[in-house]
Amino acid sequence: MHLPNFRRVATVATSVGLATALALLGAAPAQAAPAGAANDVSVSTAAASASVAARSGLRVADQASSYWTPERLRTAKSADALVEKAGATSGVGLRATGAARSTPPAAPKVSAAPGGRASAAGPITTLVNASTTVGKVFFYNPADGKNYVCSAGTVNSGSKLLVMSAGHCVHGGRGGQWMQNWIFIPYYNYGAEPYGRWSAKYLTTFNAWINDSNLDRDVAYITMWPNGSGQRPVDVVGGNGLSVNYSYEQAVTILAYPAAPPYDGGWQQYCQGTTYRPGIWPFQENKIALNCGFTGGSSGSVWLRLYNGSLGYVNGIMSTLGSGGVNKSSYFDTAVMDVFNSVANRT
């Protein structure tokens, strides 16, 4: 297995017509939210699909996986470009909507890690374990016919099938479409796939993102198919917990696959620091931020509280890659937990 040298990062560092959209937080179908309404907590789910014509005896999951040749993996574009295309905005601010609470992580049931543990790349004076729960996401955007890459991480749930990423990594936002050929490759290492790959079964994100490209709701849950051996991702690589309604100032570890220079997307990079609420009072954004300098490809990466070298609690998802090296996440309020609860046991 190829392990890159440490490098420094900033620290303080088939058709969408087959998709079935439904509201998870109400009996009625999801409705368009008013422009900028981040306080719209309704969500939609689509059955994941493949862009290639169905072949006899081949499941959608297998079609999606087989689409990703080494060449397509290598040339996929960073999905941060999709945020600009969507005309993303921020709207009505979010804030804590209840007591801070968390769901528990879960260790993998598979006892041996292929090739052993390795460190994520970061400041040469510090070693941080790479996490088997974190990997790269690849998908095809039917709106422009291009392949894209994001980061993602597993989250523990009753189904043991959930992955979290950014909303713009599953749907193109206002005027966009659901992504296709969606796969997750945990612990990706310069083309090596030591834990294999999983294909998406359902994609779920907030209507505030789908209809209005609202970055305050740039969060997605993805229910995966079991792999070819019938294994579920959390059973194989472990699953992080989930935290909501915590303060804006949290010590976190971000594990991601930034692909745009100066990074190459080949291996996990990390950034550690204390998040803050961006902006100047009284015009602060209801997001959390950290000056990591992570570039395209890191969209969708998990921001982990209490990371212990293997697992943590997802307290944010990489949303934007701003000027001056500032990375931002949606603020996680009760709605994020409510959506988790609605999809936690879906299979």
Side-chain angles (χ1 to χ4, degrees):
M1 180 183 297
H2 175 71
L3 295 178
N5 294 327
F6 291 122
R7 60 176 63 121
R8 294 185 179 274
V9 297
T11 60
V12 113
T14 3
S15 166
V16 175
L18 296 177
T20 303
L22 56 143
L24 295 178
L25 302 182
Q31 301 295 317
N39 56 345
D40 174 15
V41 299
S42 66
V43 299
S44 290
T45 290
S49 60
S51 65
V52 293
R55 286 180 283 167
S56 177
L58 195 63
R59 301 184 309 159
V60 170
D62 297 325
Q63 293 174 51
S65 182
S66 63
Y67 173 85
W68 290 101
T69 63
E71 175 66 12
R72 285 172 171 157
L73 294 175
R74 185 183 65 80
T75 58
K77 300 177 180 296
S78 299
D80 61 300
L82 297 174
V83 175
E84 184 176 350
K85 288 182 180 179
T89 61
S90 293
V92 176
L94 308 178
R95 51 186 51 83
T97 50
R101 55 194 172 113
S102 298
T103 62
K109 292 183 178 179
V110 176
S111 58
R117 297 305 302 272
S119 297
I124 197 167
T125 56
T126 308
L127 296 180
V128 171
N129 281 346
S131 177
T132 57
T133 69
V134 174
K136 297 188 77 168
V137 163
F138 297 89
F139 56 88
Y140 171 81
N141 182 8
D144 62 13
K146 296 179 181 178
N147 297 319
Y148 289 92
V149 59
C150 277
S151 298
T154 60
V155 60
N156 181 40
S157 71
S159 72
K160 307 298 182 182
L161 292 169
L162 277 185
V163 168
M164 290 189 73
S165 191
H168 68 266
C169 299
V170 302
H171 191 281
R174 182 174 51 242
Q177 301 179 46
W178 292 101
M179 304 308 177
Q180 298 177 322
N181 303 339
W182 209 97
I183 66 166
F184 172 60
I185 305 178
Y187 214 63
Y188 180 93
N189 185 358
Y190 283 96
E193 303 176 20
Y195 293 90
R197 58 177 68 174
W198 278 265
S199 299
K201 186 174 185 179
Y202 296 108
L203 311 173
T204 299
T205 192
F206 286 93
N207 288 325
W209 170 257
I210 293 172
N211 297 325
D212 301 304
S213 302
N214 195 304
L215 291 169
D216 290 345
R217 292 297 186 194
D218 189 17
V219 179
Y221 292 94
I222 303 91
T223 302
M224 313 306 294
W225 288 96
N227 64 14
S229 300
Q231 297 172 312
R232 304 184 181 210
V234 171
D235 288 335
V236 176
V237 301
N240 297 294
L242 175 67
S243 290
V244 301
N245 292 328
Y246 280 78
S247 72
Y248 296 98
E249 296 79 33
Q250 290 293 314
V252 300
T253 299
I254 302 175
L255 293 165
Y257 284 84
Y263 307 103
D264 60 12
W267 178 240
Q268 286 181 36
Q269 306 287 323
Y270 79 89
C271 174
Q272 289 182 310
T274 300
T275 60
Y276 61 93
R277 186 178 182 181
I280 301 174
W281 188 90
F283 304 108
Q284 289 174 292
E285 302 173 55
N286 280 282
K287 295 184 176 67
I288 56 174
L290 198 58
N291 298 359
C292 291
F294 279 171
T295 61
S298 60
S299 288
S301 60
V302 289
W303 297 29
L304 300 173
R305 295 178 56 253
L306 304 177
Y307 181 61
N308 65 7
S310 299
L311 302 165
Y313 296 80
V314 183
N315 192 62
I317 290 289
M318 184 76 79
S319 176
T320 58
L321 323 170
S323 61
V326 178
N327 299 129
K328 298 179 183 179
S329 163
S330 306
Y331 175 75
F332 277 20
D333 66 350
T334 299
V336 175
M337 183 66 77
D338 287 345
V339 179
F340 167 80
N341 288 332
S342 72
V343 300
N345 297 314
R346 173 179 283 159
T347 58

